[in-house]
């Protein structure tokens, strides 16, 4: 078999030899990840869109949080929910203190109509990895913690990785509390309904000081591992990315009585801008620019829109290029809007620079899994936010469809088991 080459020029081991010597003996214990995933497969199904819709603090996400608490209790893990809504499930030997912890985990919320694995696979694999270690008779000398971060997708309040941003101080409490969902509910209101307190959220240096390293397992959101023929990989970096809201302002009017030549149609201004977004992104190698959500106001079939809000996602490995792309899009949007007798404004919602994960941790993970490939990703993660505060690394598990944020997202059972064993090996290496 030809040995594939990674995105960074390194070689990846054949899947059959890419794991520690104990892996084959652990696969039976790792089947727990499959039963955990099956136990939540009906929670948050979206009958209209397909896939799953699990917005933070919605009924489905709250049910998943209860599921996690129960699964943690079954494993005698000591769970605490911090002031930012992050759940931490601790496993540590008697007499040990809660510091210098080896933390793993992911998130339970989803995008609208998302796949089954984005987020929950990382949580289920973390719990199953603890089962693997206990079956080995392993006793941690450093605490092992499974963390669940809220609003990673930003699908309800518009800011991705909101929980980890609050934890690290990457977003101010004032701004977070004022965020509104599509129904006009503020984050402050949603937090209060769950027993949280707006006057307590924000940067938590004490909690951060208790984290020694953070290792996040996630289903891959792309084709890297498929093309390399590897079931598990290690993240090297995350593309810089951000979200902006564009608002086209025109004149609302009657669809039947307003002549075409006399219209100030915000929808047309928005539509022309959407096309321009693609054209501008294509001018910059490696760029991604997307409009995935559009909200016309007032939204009637027989009404010319007076305003259209639409959301822009831009990503590039070089933060300066991302800024240039957004500036070009904004300038072209204003020009196109003016041609339609409209105006256009742009508001930044969140921006994250390119993240390079801890090189030492990444190499250790690659070696521990028999030379798994190291590759960059264009998807954001809580690990990317935490990387500015603590040594951080990520494991990716192969997605055979290469599709994510969609019902077509997939993870094969064998790959899920292998990913769990790889994570267990990594936890044992650092917590032993």
């Amino acid at each position: 078999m030809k040995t594939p080459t990674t995105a960074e020029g390194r070689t990846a081991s054949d899947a059959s030899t890419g794991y520690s010597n104990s892996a084959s003996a652990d696969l039976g214990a790792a089947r727990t990840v499959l039963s955990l995933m099956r136990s939540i497969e009906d929670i948050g199904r979206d009958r209209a869109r397909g896939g799953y819709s699990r917005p933070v603090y919605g009924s489905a996400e709250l049910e998943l949080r209860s599921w996690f608490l129960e699964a943690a209790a079954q494993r005698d893990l000591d769970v605490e929910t911090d002031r930012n809504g992050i759940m931490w499930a601790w496993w540590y030997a008697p007499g040990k203190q809660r510091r210098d912890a080896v933390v793993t985990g992911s998130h339970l919320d989803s995008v609208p109509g998302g796949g089954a694995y984005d987020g929950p696979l990382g949580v289920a694999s973390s719990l199953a990895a603890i089962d693997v270690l206990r079956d080995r008779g392993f006793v941690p000398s450093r605490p092992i913690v499974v963390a669940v971060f809220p609003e990673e997708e930003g699908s309800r309040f518009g800011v991705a990785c909101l929980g980890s941003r609050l934890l690290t101080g990457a977003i101010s409490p004032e701004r977070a509390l004022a965020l509104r969902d599509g129904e006009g509910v503020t984050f402050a209101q949603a937090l209060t309904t769950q027993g949280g307190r707006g006057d307590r959220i924000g940067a938590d240096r004490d909690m951060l000081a208790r984290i020694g390293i953070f290792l996040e397992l996630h289903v891959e959101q792309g084709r890297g591992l498929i093309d390399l023929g590897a079931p598990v990989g290690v993240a090297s970096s995350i593309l810089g990315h951000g979200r902006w809201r564009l608002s086209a302002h025109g004149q609302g009017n009657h669809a039947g009585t307003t002549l075409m030549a006399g219209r100030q149609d915000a929808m047309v201004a928005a539509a022309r801008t959407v096309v321009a977004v693609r054209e501008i992104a294509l001018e910059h190698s490696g760029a991604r620019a997307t409009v995935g959500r559009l909200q016309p106001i007032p939204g009637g079939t027989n009404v010319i829109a007076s305003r259209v809000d639409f959301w822009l996602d831009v990503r590039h490995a070089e933060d300066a290029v991302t800024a240039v792309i957004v500036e070009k899009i904004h300038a072209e949007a204003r020009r196109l809007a003016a041609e339609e007798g409209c105006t256009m404004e742009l508001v930044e919602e969140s921006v994250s620079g390119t993240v390079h994960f801890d090189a030492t941790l990444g190499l250790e993970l690659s070696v521990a899994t028999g030379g798994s490939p190291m590759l960059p990703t264009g998807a954001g993660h809580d690990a990317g936010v935490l990387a500015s505060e603590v040594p951080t690394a990520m494991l990716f598990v192969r997605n055979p469809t290469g599709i994510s944020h969609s019902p077509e997202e997939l993870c094969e059972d064998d790959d899920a088991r292998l990913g769990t064993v790889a994570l267990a090996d990594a936890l044992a290496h650092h917590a032993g």
Side-chain angles (χ1 to χ4, degrees), residues 277-400:
V277 165
R278 181 186 64 178
E279 300 305 318
I280 291 171
L282 288 170
E283 297 172 359
H284 301 270
S285 177
R288 286 89 149 152
T290 307
V291 175
R293 178 183 169 203
L294 184 147
Q295 183 176 326
I297 297 169
T301 303
N302 59 347
V303 181
I304 299 168
S306 60
R307 188 177 96 228
V308 176
D309 295 333
F310 53 114
W311 282 261
L312 173 68
D313 182 302
V314 180
R315 306 179 189 227
H316 194 275
E318 297 180 31
D319 299 339
V321 176
T322 300
V324 168
I325 293 170
V326 174
E327 183 179 350
K328 285 184 176 180
I329 289 172
H330 190 199
E332 183 65 0
R334 291 197 305 267
R335 187 186 71 80
L336 294 171
E339 289 185 357
E340 300 299 328
C342 299
T343 62
M344 187 78 70
E345 64 178 346
L346 178 142
V347 176
E348 177 187 302
E349 292 197 337
S350 65
V351 175
S352 299
T354 292
V355 172
H356 296 279
F357 288 112
D358 187 277
T360 300
L361 274 181
L363 183 59
E364 286 178 354
L365 278 179
S366 178
V367 171
T369 54
S372 292
M374 298 185 70
L375 66 168
T377 180
H381 300 282
D382 289 305
V385 177
L386 290 175
S388 64
E389 301 289 339
V390 298
T392 304
M394 289 191 71
L395 281 170
F396 288 138
V397 179
R398 178 169 52 194
N399 174 354

